[in-house]
Amino acid sequence: MRALLVATVLALAGCGGSASSGGPGAPGDGGLTGTLTVFAAASLTDVFTELGGRLEDEHPRLDVRFSFAGSSALATQLTQGAPADVFASADEAQMSVVTDAGLADGEPQVFATNVLEIAVPRGNPAGITGLADFAREELALAVCAAEVPCGVAAGQVFTAAGVAARPDTLEEDVRAALTKVELGEVDAALVYASDVATAGGAVEGVTVPEAAQAVNHYPICVLADAPAPEAARAFVDLVLSDEGRAALADAGFQQP
């Protein structure tokens, strides 16, 4: 009887040990745990940080970490082996860099669109009225570098408007261009409408009719080698949900 009792206790202990195991991001006890790493375009900084906070509130043992930068830089990092769970790009071209390398788990989904807008300091002291002002040599002007999505879109709208732009600085991502305006270092910058919206009263926006010629579509995907696949899917689902779409709309993004 004593030997039978010992064997039973050992068997129960073994079952208990296997039930509690699980990797990062696995549901385990019903909640997501571990670290979720999201690579996302710089223009998504505010809204994704908010959505990440909501996911953490729902899953207190989950730590959501973001790497925000120009989409081209992020795509390059991923193809060079940087570990991440989710990638959200500001255009489909940079997402294609990732999918063509076989790094996406499934088909990316477009969750938002965005258009360019001119950001100026409060009061618009230089009197900026449209894209033609980007050809004025006496002004200090910022646009995104040609290799990032906002720079690609800038080139398209300048061509559509027939403007030979003379920017003074080419920024590595759209948030860097916006910061130049916020600090008063430039008279204007060509950024996304969502950046003007999230900047609040720090800047003013001047609409660009030609922006309709260069609409950016934002795709998102879970990465094939995601260390936390369950958490990655939960974040993507949140972005695509009605709650996520409402947050994106509040941040100045448009629906696809």
Side-chain angles (χ1 to χ4, degrees), residues 115-121 124 126 128 130-131 133-134 139-144 150 154 157-158 167-171 173-193 195-196 203-208:
V115 294
L116 294 178
E117 189 169 331
I118 301 172
V120 298
N124 193 6
I128 303 296
L131 288 178
D133 291 305
F134 278 77
L139 297 181
L141 305 163
V143 299
C144 294
C150 59
V157 298
F158 284 135
D168 296 276
T169 179
L170 300 174
E171 299 300 323
D173 62 56
V174 72
R175 281 307 173 93
L178 181 68
T179 299
K180 292 281 188 181
V181 181
E182 292 174 323
L183 296 176
E185 295 179 0
V186 296
D187 297 302
L190 197 55
V191 300
Y192 292 122
D195 295 295
V196 175
V203 304
E204 295 179 12
V206 177
T207 57
V208 177

Side-chain angles (χ1 to χ4, degrees), residues 41-194:
S43 51
L44 294 165
T45 298
D46 297 280
V47 65
F48 267 28
T49 299
E50 177 187 345
L51 291 174
R54 295 185 191 184
L55 194 64
E56 288 179 330
D57 289 342
E58 296 174 6
H59 304 278
R61 295 202 298 158
L62 179 66
D63 180 21
V64 182
R65 299 181 182 179
F66 293 97
S67 179
F68 295 110
S71 298
S72 58
L74 296 174
T76 297
Q77 291 174 34
L78 290 172
T79 58
Q80 292 178 348
D85 300 292
V86 174
F87 178 46
S89 173
D91 71 1
E92 293 174 298
Q94 294 305 321
M95 179 59 77
S96 293
V97 173
V98 171
T99 57
D100 290 349
L103 301 179
D105 181 9
E107 191 71 20
Q109 298 185 66
V110 173
F111 62 93
T113 63
N114 216 346
V115 294
L116 294 178
E117 189 169 331
I118 301 172
V120 298
R122 290 184 63 179
N124 193 6
I128 303 296
T129 61
L131 288 178
D133 291 305
F134 278 77
R136 293 169 58 187
E137 189 173 357
E138 73 274 16
L139 297 181
L141 305 163
V143 299
C144 294
E147 64 269 17
V148 295
C150 59
V152 174
Q156 292 172 345
V157 298
F158 284 135
T159 298
V163 172
R166 304 172 66 102
D168 296 276
T169 179
L170 300 174
E171 299 300 323
E172 62 184 9
D173 62 56
V174 72
R175 281 307 173 93
L178 181 68
T179 299
K180 292 281 188 181
V181 181
E182 292 174 323
L183 296 176
E185 295 179 0
V186 296
D187 297 302
L190 197 55
V191 300
Y192 292 122
S194 61

